Amino acid sequence: MPTQTTPALEPSFIDSHAAVEPDLGTQLRAYELMRTADELARLYEENKAVTAKYVHATARGHEAIQLATAFHLRATDYAAPYYRDDAMLLGLGLTPYELMLQLMAKRDDPFSGGRTYYCHPSLRREGFPVIPHQSSATGMQAIPATGLAHGLHYLESQGLLQDAAETPVVVCSIGDGAMTEGEVAEALQMAVLHQLPIIYLVQDNDWGISATGREMRAMDAYEFAAGFKGLQRLRVNGADFGDSYAGLAAAFDYVRRTRGPILVHAKCPLLGHHTSGVRREWYRGDNLAEHTTNDPLPRLHGQLLDLGVAEAELQQLGAQACALVEADYQRALAAANPDPATFADHEFAPPAVTEEAGERTPAGADKALMVDAALHAVDDILAEFPEALFYGQDVGGELGGVFREAALLAKKYGDTRVFNTPIQEAYIVGSTAGMSAVGAKPIVEIQFADYIWPALNQLVEELSKSCYLSMGKFPVQALIRVPIGAYGGGGPYHSGSIESTLLTIRGIKVVYPSNAADMKGLMRAAFLDPNPVIMLEHKGLYWSKVPGTEDAKTTEPAAGYVIPLGQAAIAQQADPEKLRQGETCVVITYGMGVHWAKTASKQFAGQVEILDLRTLNPLDFEAVQAAVRRHGKALVLTEEPLLNSFAESLAGRIQRTCFRQLDAPVFTLGAANLPAIALNVELEKQMLPSADKVATALAELLGY
């Protein structure tokens, strides 16, 4: 997507913010909710033997800016609060009782059913802004929140927003300490590059646990934001409700009109503990007394008295807040705990594809290379689903990917749908969480598997946990394409295999096709799946140029062909007579391993079945067990270094469940246990498995 023209900041922007003041009714509402937040913090402290069983943080000192923000959010907006934003949640209309259900990890916690911390909301409720799941919000949330705005920007550009009259805004709330995260800079870069409708609300209390602002940063967030051309900036007094309300009014108005980003920097006192587990008395000293002089609650109290509100009326509002909090606390104490039997619910959202469908070998169809099957699968998806978009490094423009796996898609669908990103793997992956939450359907690409590591934080903390911790409200529909594997001289940063690392991440699916037909069918299933799916695509199989990979080129299935995730396939059958005589074995493998096994098995005619896993998670372990029990001898083959790998783990499972049917130990074969693949092709050959090495292992296994 090309960079858009940055809208000039209107001269009236700062002046208009100073002129917009909250009316008396709004100020009284803010006062009552400030008293409610104060009573929550007080009750939590007085009952810390109960309330601090699980860690929590409160809004004390930050209430003014949080309530001002909440009062400007609409039901059509999106919010990404951070872990001390309980006053913001009260301002949106959530009750102390609902917050306490999460505080005590109760069954009816509306956000997570007792699965995650206090003030970690995820909400889809009529009349409220959408609050997608996010992690503990110490900087990581900036990317998914920006992804929300990016998704809205895309849907708006295509006329796909459900209510075209609305101008939804995203609010990303963040502490100033978290602004030093590299992922925050990635988010800001994309927000200004594409002019996205987002407000970054930075609550600055000069502390990051026990570290002061002087220790952590060379500049505050407002000064830092000056380096992002096109990101508007605004300072407000976060301890003053009137100034905060006026500033947020101007910020929301700016984003709704211009659809561009703004950063609001709010200085606030920190009056509570950093969290219940880090006591303020351990390190604050005289600083707490200094911060108390800037408490937003007595400040608003005095302002209301100056406006003619009677002291008795304010005391009555305080008494009502106290009574509500105490009553809700007693209700929450008595509320039911989660049913332990539900502990595993919502690991994944139910799959959309459960049966193979469409034509795998249509009459008259030509054979296709794997790279072309992948390209055509994405082309079919973009043609069929207008909410789908495709982005990553070099996939847009003229090149269409360094492997030409997206060739001409940008020209066909426009650079709003198929576009290049900066070298920002964290943003590429993490933005899909926000995209999915607004109804966009992202397909993204990491250029090489060796470069996925900067994205792991987002993959683990944001994507993988979202469905489980939101009780199924926010599964992340994301198709993440990753070219993988060695292909002859690619060297240490373009040849790696990473599936074992990915398979230790719960809550994501991992697919690994070995031929063109499976590539096309699995690609569609991965796109349609409502969960995050990583599609590992072996570079050495893309063009069938590597000797022995000719079978990766297959008849191309028709558009719409789909294979369910989690179904293995028999890539080669053994001779039934040799099977009956007990002269056979099975090779359990995937990707390039299928082709090594096929070549090696030519030396053992009819004696080798090859089971192609196709999907590594979910794993078709039933097919694995059935194959092992058929033959009694098994080789698990991988391209990865073998030590502590998925292959070794699978071999261990087989030994445990098929022990009585085994006629030999489960053999394993993989790459040498070295940290990288050498550039020199002869050194590479020494490290990796090959058809010859597989044949040696098969000879030993069959002769056991």
Side-chain angles (χ1 to χ4, degrees), residues 627-646:
V628 172
R629 288 168 179 161
R630 256 193 314 275
H631 301 279
K633 295 180 179 180
L635 166 65
V636 182
L637 172 62
T638 179
E639 185 171 328
E640 286 192 293
L642 197 57
L643 186 65
N644 301 324
S645 65
F646 162 71

mmCIF file with all atom_site columns, all heavy atoms in Angstrom, residues 627-646:
data_model
loop_
_atom_site.group_PDB
_atom_site.id
_atom_site.type_symbol
_atom_site.label_atom_id
_atom_site.label_alt_id
_atom_site.label_comp_id
_atom_site.label_asym_id
_atom_site.label_entity_id
_atom_site.label_seq_id
_atom_site.pdbx_PDB_ins_code
_atom_site.Cartn_x
_atom_site.Cartn_y
_atom_site.Cartn_z
_atom_site.occupancy
_atom_site.B_iso_or_equiv
_atom_site.pdbx_formal_charge
_atom_site.auth_seq_id
_atom_site.auth_comp_id
_atom_site.auth_asym_id
_atom_site.auth_atom_id
_atom_site.pdbx_PDB_model_num
ATOM 1   N N   . ALA A 1 627 ? -0.634 -47.016 11.110 1.00 0.00 ? 627 ALA A N   1
ATOM 2   C CA  . ALA A 1 627 ? 0.461  -47.401 10.216 1.00 0.00 ? 627 ALA A CA  1
ATOM 3   C C   . ALA A 1 627 ? 1.528  -48.201 10.962 1.00 0.00 ? 627 ALA A C   1
ATOM 4   O O   . ALA A 1 627 ? 2.045  -49.208 10.457 1.00 0.00 ? 627 ALA A O   1
ATOM 5   C CB  . ALA A 1 627 ? 1.081  -46.148 9.588  1.00 0.00 ? 627 ALA A CB  1
ATOM 6   N N   . VAL A 1 628 ? 1.853  -47.763 12.168 1.00 0.00 ? 628 VAL A N   1
ATOM 7   C CA  . VAL A 1 628 ? 2.867  -48.471 12.950 1.00 0.00 ? 628 VAL A CA  1
ATOM 8   C C   . VAL A 1 628 ? 2.377  -49.876 13.294 1.00 0.00 ? 628 VAL A C   1
ATOM 9   O O   . VAL A 1 628 ? 3.130  -50.861 13.204 1.00 0.00 ? 628 VAL A O   1
ATOM 10  C CB  . VAL A 1 628 ? 3.218  -47.672 14.221 1.00 0.00 ? 628 VAL A CB  1
ATOM 11  C CG1 . VAL A 1 628 ? 4.133  -48.490 15.137 1.00 0.00 ? 628 VAL A CG1 1
ATOM 12  C CG2 . VAL A 1 628 ? 3.895  -46.352 13.843 1.00 0.00 ? 628 VAL A CG2 1
ATOM 13  N N   . ARG A 1 629 ? 1.130  -50.007 13.673 1.00 0.00 ? 629 ARG A N   1
ATOM 14  C CA  . ARG A 1 629 ? 0.594  -51.323 14.028 1.00 0.00 ? 629 ARG A CA  1
ATOM 15  C C   . ARG A 1 629 ? 0.482  -52.235 12.807 1.00 0.00 ? 629 ARG A C   1
ATOM 16  O O   . ARG A 1 629 ? 0.570  -53.458 12.931 1.00 0.00 ? 629 ARG A O   1
ATOM 17  C CB  . ARG A 1 629 ? -0.759 -51.146 14.708 1.00 0.00 ? 629 ARG A CB  1
ATOM 18  C CG  . ARG A 1 629 ? -0.621 -50.572 16.119 1.00 0.00 ? 629 ARG A CG  1
ATOM 19  C CD  . ARG A 1 629 ? -1.915 -50.109 16.716 1.00 0.00 ? 629 ARG A CD  1
ATOM 20  N NE  . ARG A 1 629 ? -1.682 -49.592 18.073 1.00 0.00 ? 629 ARG A NE  1
ATOM 21  C CZ  . ARG A 1 629 ? -2.511 -48.791 18.719 1.00 0.00 ? 629 ARG A CZ  1
ATOM 22  N NH1 . ARG A 1 629 ? -3.645 -48.391 18.137 1.00 0.00 ? 629 ARG A NH1 1
ATOM 23  N NH2 . ARG A 1 629 ? -2.224 -48.373 19.936 1.00 0.00 ? 629 ARG A NH2 1
ATOM 24  N N   . ARG A 1 630 ? 0.320  -51.633 11.624 1.00 0.00 ? 630 ARG A N   1
ATOM 25  C CA  . ARG A 1 630 ? 0.281  -52.436 10.398 1.00 0.00 ? 630 ARG A CA  1
ATOM 26  C C   . ARG A 1 630 ? 1.629  -53.104 10.140 1.00 0.00 ? 630 ARG A C   1
ATOM 27  O O   . ARG A 1 630 ? 1.692  -54.254 9.713  1.00 0.00 ? 630 ARG A O   1
ATOM 28  C CB  . ARG A 1 630 ? -0.055 -51.539 9.192  1.00 0.00 ? 630 ARG A CB  1
ATOM 29  C CG  . ARG A 1 630 ? -1.465 -51.666 8.686  1.00 0.00 ? 630 ARG A CG  1
ATOM 30  C CD  . ARG A 1 630 ? -1.670 -51.028 7.324  1.00 0.00 ? 630 ARG A CD  1
ATOM 31  N NE  . ARG A 1 630 ? -1.124 -49.717 7.117  1.00 0.00 ? 630 ARG A NE  1
ATOM 32  C CZ  . ARG A 1 630 ? -1.721 -48.565 7.447  1.00 0.00 ? 630 ARG A CZ  1
ATOM 33  N NH1 . ARG A 1 630 ? -2.906 -48.597 8.067  1.00 0.00 ? 630 ARG A NH1 1
ATOM 34  N NH2 . ARG A 1 630 ? -1.147 -47.409 7.195  1.00 0.00 ? 630 ARG A NH2 1
ATOM 35  N N   . HIS A 1 631 ? 2.688  -52.365 10.380 1.00 0.00 ? 631 HIS A N   1
ATOM 36  C CA  . HIS A 1 631 ? 4.008  -52.819 9.941  1.00 0.00 ? 631 HIS A CA  1
ATOM 37  C C   . HIS A 1 631 ? 4.907  -53.297 11.077 1.00 0.00 ? 631 HIS A C   1
ATOM 38  O O   . HIS A 1 631 ? 5.790  -54.127 10.844 1.00 0.00 ? 631 HIS A O   1
ATOM 39  C CB  . HIS A 1 631 ? 4.720  -51.697 9.173  1.00 0.00 ? 631 HIS A CB  1
ATOM 40  C CG  . HIS A 1 631 ? 3.969  -51.242 7.962  1.00 0.00 ? 631 HIS A CG  1
ATOM 41  N ND1 . HIS A 1 631 ? 4.017  -51.907 6.764  1.00 0.00 ? 631 HIS A ND1 1
ATOM 42  C CD2 . HIS A 1 631 ? 3.117  -50.197 7.767  1.00 0.00 ? 631 HIS A CD2 1
ATOM 43  C CE1 . HIS A 1 631 ? 3.245  -51.285 5.877  1.00 0.00 ? 631 HIS A CE1 1
ATOM 44  N NE2 . HIS A 1 631 ? 2.686  -50.249 6.463  1.00 0.00 ? 631 HIS A NE2 1
ATOM 45  N N   . GLY A 1 632 ? 4.723  -52.760 12.261 1.00 0.00 ? 632 GLY A N   1
ATOM 46  C CA  . GLY A 1 632 ? 5.559  -53.152 13.392 1.00 0.00 ? 632 GLY A CA  1
ATOM 47  C C   . GLY A 1 632 ? 6.933  -52.515 13.408 1.00 0.00 ? 632 GLY A C   1
ATOM 48  O O   . GLY A 1 632 ? 7.682  -52.662 14.376 1.00 0.00 ? 632 GLY A O   1
ATOM 49  N N   . LYS A 1 633 ? 7.282  -51.807 12.341 1.00 0.00 ? 633 LYS A N   1
ATOM 50  C CA  . LYS A 1 633 ? 8.571  -51.123 12.268 1.00 0.00 ? 633 LYS A CA  1
ATOM 51  C C   . LYS A 1 633 ? 8.340  -49.722 11.693 1.00 0.00 ? 633 LYS A C   1
ATOM 52  O O   . LYS A 1 633 ? 7.608  -49.575 10.708 1.00 0.00 ? 633 LYS A O   1
ATOM 53  C CB  . LYS A 1 633 ? 9.556  -51.899 11.382 1.00 0.00 ? 633 LYS A CB  1
ATOM 54  C CG  . LYS A 1 633 ? 9.951  -53.264 11.939 1.00 0.00 ? 633 LYS A CG  1
ATOM 55  C CD  . LYS A 1 633 ? 10.912 -53.978 11.014 1.00 0.00 ? 633 LYS A CD  1
ATOM 56  C CE  . LYS A 1 633 ? 11.326 -55.339 11.589 1.00 0.00 ? 633 LYS A CE  1
ATOM 57  N NZ  . LYS A 1 633 ? 12.265 -56.055 10.696 1.00 0.00 ? 633 LYS A NZ  1
ATOM 58  N N   . ALA A 1 634 ? 8.990  -48.729 12.318 1.00 0.00 ? 634 ALA A N   1
ATOM 59  C CA  . ALA A 1 634 ? 8.729  -47.353 11.900 1.00 0.00 ? 634 ALA A CA  1
ATOM 60  C C   . ALA A 1 634 ? 10.000 -46.524 11.956 1.00 0.00 ? 634 ALA A C   1
ATOM 61  O O   . ALA A 1 634 ? 10.824 -46.663 12.878 1.00 0.00 ? 634 ALA A O   1
ATOM 62  C CB  . ALA A 1 634 ? 7.661  -46.721 12.788 1.00 0.00 ? 634 ALA A CB  1
ATOM 63  N N   . LEU A 1 635 ? 10.129 -45.626 10.980 1.00 0.00 ? 635 LEU A N   1
ATOM 64  C CA  . LEU A 1 635 ? 11.183 -44.617 10.946 1.00 0.00 ? 635 LEU A CA  1
ATOM 65  C C   . LEU A 1 635 ? 10.499 -43.253 10.915 1.00 0.00 ? 635 LEU A C   1
ATOM 66  O O   . LEU A 1 635 ? 9.668  -42.986 10.041 1.00 0.00 ? 635 LEU A O   1
ATOM 67  C CB  . LEU A 1 635 ? 12.052 -44.790 9.698  1.00 0.00 ? 635 LEU A CB  1
ATOM 68  C CG  . LEU A 1 635 ? 12.984 -43.616 9.339  1.00 0.00 ? 635 LEU A CG  1
ATOM 69  C CD1 . LEU A 1 635 ? 14.046 -43.404 10.418 1.00 0.00 ? 635 LEU A CD1 1
ATOM 70  C CD2 . LEU A 1 635 ? 13.642 -43.856 7.973  1.00 0.00 ? 635 LEU A CD2 1
ATOM 71  N N   . VAL A 1 636 ? 10.842 -42.391 11.859 1.00 0.00 ? 636 VAL A N   1
ATOM 72  C CA  . VAL A 1 636 ? 10.344 -41.017 11.857 1.00 0.00 ? 636 VAL A CA  1
ATOM 73  C C   . VAL A 1 636 ? 11.444 -40.143 11.274 1.00 0.00 ? 636 VAL A C   1
ATOM 74  O O   . VAL A 1 636 ? 12.557 -40.083 11.814 1.00 0.00 ? 636 VAL A O   1
ATOM 75  C CB  . VAL A 1 636 ? 9.951  -40.549 13.268 1.00 0.00 ? 636 VAL A CB  1
ATOM 76  C CG1 . VAL A 1 636 ? 9.387  -39.132 13.211 1.00 0.00 ? 636 VAL A CG1 1
ATOM 77  C CG2 . VAL A 1 636 ? 8.935  -41.504 13.883 1.00 0.00 ? 636 VAL A CG2 1
ATOM 78  N N   . LEU A 1 637 ? 11.128 -39.468 10.190 1.00 0.00 ? 637 LEU A N   1
ATOM 79  C CA  . LEU A 1 637 ? 12.127 -38.749 9.396  1.00 0.00 ? 637 LEU A CA  1
ATOM 80  C C   . LEU A 1 637 ? 11.817 -37.256 9.387  1.00 0.00 ? 637 LEU A C   1
ATOM 81  O O   . LEU A 1 637 ? 10.681 -36.849 9.119  1.00 0.00 ? 637 LEU A O   1
ATOM 82  C CB  . LEU A 1 637 ? 12.125 -39.306 7.969  1.00 0.00 ? 637 LEU A CB  1
ATOM 83  C CG  . LEU A 1 637 ? 12.968 -38.579 6.919  1.00 0.00 ? 637 LEU A CG  1
ATOM 84  C CD1 . LEU A 1 637 ? 14.449 -38.600 7.283  1.00 0.00 ? 637 LEU A CD1 1
ATOM 85  C CD2 . LEU A 1 637 ? 12.733 -39.223 5.533  1.00 0.00 ? 637 LEU A CD2 1
ATOM 86  N N   . THR A 1 638 ? 12.832 -36.434 9.641  1.00 0.00 ? 638 THR A N   1
ATOM 87  C CA  . THR A 1 638 ? 12.661 -34.984 9.652  1.00 0.00 ? 638 THR A CA  1
ATOM 88  C C   . THR A 1 638 ? 13.872 -34.313 9.026  1.00 0.00 ? 638 THR A C   1
ATOM 89  O O   . THR A 1 638 ? 14.960 -34.915 8.947  1.00 0.00 ? 638 THR A O   1
ATOM 90  C CB  . THR A 1 638 ? 12.486 -34.459 11.089 1.00 0.00 ? 638 THR A CB  1
ATOM 91  O OG1 . THR A 1 638 ? 12.332 -33.036 11.075 1.00 0.00 ? 638 THR A OG1 1
ATOM 92  C CG2 . THR A 1 638 ? 13.685 -34.800 11.963 1.00 0.00 ? 638 THR A CG2 1
ATOM 93  N N   . GLU A 1 639 ? 13.726 -33.079 8.601  1.00 0.00 ? 639 GLU A N   1
ATOM 94  C CA  . GLU A 1 639 ? 14.856 -32.284 8.123  1.00 0.00 ? 639 GLU A CA  1
ATOM 95  C C   . GLU A 1 639 ? 15.518 -31.520 9.259  1.00 0.00 ? 639 GLU A C   1
ATOM 96  O O   . GLU A 1 639 ? 16.623 -31.005 9.106  1.00 0.00 ? 639 GLU A O   1
ATOM 97  C CB  . GLU A 1 639 ? 14.381 -31.297 7.035  1.00 0.00 ? 639 GLU A CB  1
ATOM 98  C CG  . GLU A 1 639 ? 15.513 -30.516 6.394  1.00 0.00 ? 639 GLU A CG  1
ATOM 99  C CD  . GLU A 1 639 ? 15.072 -29.714 5.190  1.00 0.00 ? 639 GLU A CD  1
ATOM 100 O OE1 . GLU A 1 639 ? 14.145 -30.151 4.476  1.00 0.00 ? 639 GLU A OE1 1
ATOM 101 O OE2 . GLU A 1 639 ? 15.659 -28.650 4.954  1.00 0.00 ? 639 GLU A OE2 1
ATOM 102 N N   . GLU A 1 640 ? 14.857 -31.420 10.381 1.00 0.00 ? 640 GLU A N   1
ATOM 103 C CA  . GLU A 1 640 ? 15.391 -30.663 11.511 1.00 0.00 ? 640 GLU A CA  1
ATOM 104 C C   . GLU A 1 640 ? 16.548 -31.395 12.186 1.00 0.00 ? 640 GLU A C   1
ATOM 105 O O   . GLU A 1 640 ? 16.636 -32.633 12.111 1.00 0.00 ? 640 GLU A O   1
ATOM 106 C CB  . GLU A 1 640 ? 14.311 -30.467 12.573 1.00 0.00 ? 640 GLU A CB  1
ATOM 107 C CG  . GLU A 1 640 ? 13.244 -29.466 12.236 1.00 0.00 ? 640 GLU A CG  1
ATOM 108 C CD  . GLU A 1 640 ? 12.411 -29.156 13.456 1.00 0.00 ? 640 GLU A CD  1
ATOM 109 O OE1 . GLU A 1 640 ? 11.693 -30.054 13.940 1.00 0.00 ? 640 GLU A OE1 1
ATOM 110 O OE2 . GLU A 1 640 ? 12.478 -28.012 13.934 1.00 0.00 ? 640 GLU A OE2 1
ATOM 111 N N   . PRO A 1 641 ? 17.401 -30.675 12.911 1.00 0.00 ? 641 PRO A N   1
ATOM 112 C CA  . PRO A 1 641 ? 18.308 -31.365 13.832 1.00 0.00 ? 641 PRO A CA  1
ATOM 113 C C   . PRO A 1 641 ? 17.485 -32.235 14.779 1.00 0.00 ? 641 PRO A C   1
ATOM 114 O O   . PRO A 1 641 ? 16.432 -31.819 15.274 1.00 0.00 ? 641 PRO A O   1
ATOM 115 C CB  . PRO A 1 641 ? 18.993 -30.211 14.573 1.00 0.00 ? 641 PRO A CB  1
ATOM 116 C CG  . PRO A 1 641 ? 18.966 -29.075 13.596 1.00 0.00 ? 641 PRO A CG  1
ATOM 117 C CD  . PRO A 1 641 ? 17.650 -29.217 12.878 1.00 0.00 ? 641 PRO A CD  1
ATOM 118 N N   . LEU A 1 642 ? 17.962 -33.439 15.013 1.00 0.00 ? 642 LEU A N   1
ATOM 119 C CA  . LEU A 1 642 ? 17.122 -34.451 15.652 1.00 0.00 ? 642 LEU A CA  1
ATOM 120 C C   . LEU A 1 642 ? 16.948 -34.252 17.154 1.00 0.00 ? 642 LEU A C   1
ATOM 121 O O   . LEU A 1 642 ? 15.860 -34.496 17.692 1.00 0.00 ? 642 LEU A O   1
ATOM 122 C CB  . LEU A 1 642 ? 17.733 -35.832 15.389 1.00 0.00 ? 642 LEU A CB  1
ATOM 123 C CG  . LEU A 1 642 ? 16.824 -37.035 15.622 1.00 0.00 ? 642 LEU A CG  1
ATOM 124 C CD1 . LEU A 1 642 ? 15.553 -36.952 14.796 1.00 0.00 ? 642 LEU A CD1 1
ATOM 125 C CD2 . LEU A 1 642 ? 17.581 -38.321 15.293 1.00 0.00 ? 642 LEU A CD2 1
ATOM 126 N N   . LEU A 1 643 ? 17.982 -33.806 17.836 1.00 0.00 ? 643 LEU A N   1
ATOM 127 C CA  . LEU A 1 643 ? 17.954 -33.753 19.293 1.00 0.00 ? 643 LEU A CA  1
ATOM 128 C C   . LEU A 1 643 ? 16.825 -32.853 19.784 1.00 0.00 ? 643 LEU A C   1
ATOM 129 O O   . LEU A 1 643 ? 16.726 -31.688 19.393 1.00 0.00 ? 643 LEU A O   1
ATOM 130 C CB  . LEU A 1 643 ? 19.297 -33.245 19.823 1.00 0.00 ? 643 LEU A CB  1
ATOM 131 C CG  . LEU A 1 643 ? 19.477 -33.264 21.340 1.00 0.00 ? 643 LEU A CG  1
ATOM 132 C CD1 . LEU A 1 643 ? 19.458 -34.687 21.883 1.00 0.00 ? 643 LEU A CD1 1
ATOM 133 C CD2 . LEU A 1 643 ? 20.783 -32.558 21.723 1.00 0.00 ? 643 LEU A CD2 1
ATOM 134 N N   . ASN A 1 644 ? 15.961 -33.390 20.637 1.00 0.00 ? 644 ASN A N   1
ATOM 135 C CA  . ASN A 1 644 ? 14.845 -32.648 21.245 1.00 0.00 ? 644 ASN A CA  1
ATOM 136 C C   . ASN A 1 644 ? 13.845 -32.121 20.222 1.00 0.00 ? 644 ASN A C   1
ATOM 137 O O   . ASN A 1 644 ? 13.189 -31.108 20.451 1.00 0.00 ? 644 ASN A O   1
ATOM 138 C CB  . ASN A 1 644 ? 15.362 -31.479 22.095 1.00 0.00 ? 644 ASN A CB  1
ATOM 139 C CG  . ASN A 1 644 ? 16.273 -31.934 23.208 1.00 0.00 ? 644 ASN A CG  1
ATOM 140 O OD1 . ASN A 1 644 ? 16.061 -32.999 23.791 1.00 0.00 ? 644 ASN A OD1 1
ATOM 141 N ND2 . ASN A 1 644 ? 17.291 -31.155 23.507 1.00 0.00 ? 644 ASN A ND2 1
ATOM 142 N N   . SER A 1 645 ? 13.708 -32.800 19.122 1.00 0.00 ? 645 SER A N   1
ATOM 143 C CA  . SER A 1 645 ? 12.847 -32.336 18.037 1.00 0.00 ? 645 SER A CA  1
ATOM 144 C C   . SER A 1 645 ? 11.437 -32.912 18.138 1.00 0.00 ? 645 SER A C   1
ATOM 145 O O   . SER A 1 645 ? 11.160 -33.824 18.918 1.00 0.00 ? 645 SER A O   1
ATOM 146 C CB  . SER A 1 645 ? 13.452 -32.752 16.690 1.00 0.00 ? 645 SER A CB  1
ATOM 147 O OG  . SER A 1 645 ? 13.458 -34.181 16.588 1.00 0.00 ? 645 SER A OG  1
ATOM 148 N N   . PHE A 1 646 ? 10.554 -32.394 17.283 1.00 0.00 ? 646 PHE A N   1
ATOM 149 C CA  . PHE A 1 646 ? 9.218  -32.955 17.109 1.00 0.00 ? 646 PHE A CA  1
ATOM 150 C C   . PHE A 1 646 ? 9.305  -34.429 16.734 1.00 0.00 ? 646 PHE A C   1
ATOM 151 O O   . PHE A 1 646 ? 8.536  -35.259 17.224 1.00 0.00 ? 646 PHE A O   1
ATOM 152 C CB  . PHE A 1 646 ? 8.475  -32.164 16.023 1.00 0.00 ? 646 PHE A CB  1
ATOM 153 C CG  . PHE A 1 646 ? 7.287  -32.868 15.437 1.00 0.00 ? 646 PHE A CG  1
ATOM 154 C CD1 . PHE A 1 646 ? 6.134  -33.052 16.173 1.00 0.00 ? 646 PHE A CD1 1
ATOM 155 C CD2 . PHE A 1 646 ? 7.330  -33.352 14.129 1.00 0.00 ? 646 PHE A CD2 1
ATOM 156 C CE1 . PHE A 1 646 ? 5.028  -33.709 15.633 1.00 0.00 ? 646 PHE A CE1 1
ATOM 157 C CE2 . PHE A 1 646 ? 6.233  -33.995 13.576 1.00 0.00 ? 646 PHE A CE2 1
ATOM 158 C CZ  . PHE A 1 646 ? 5.078  -34.177 14.334 1.00 0.00 ? 646 PHE A CZ  1
#
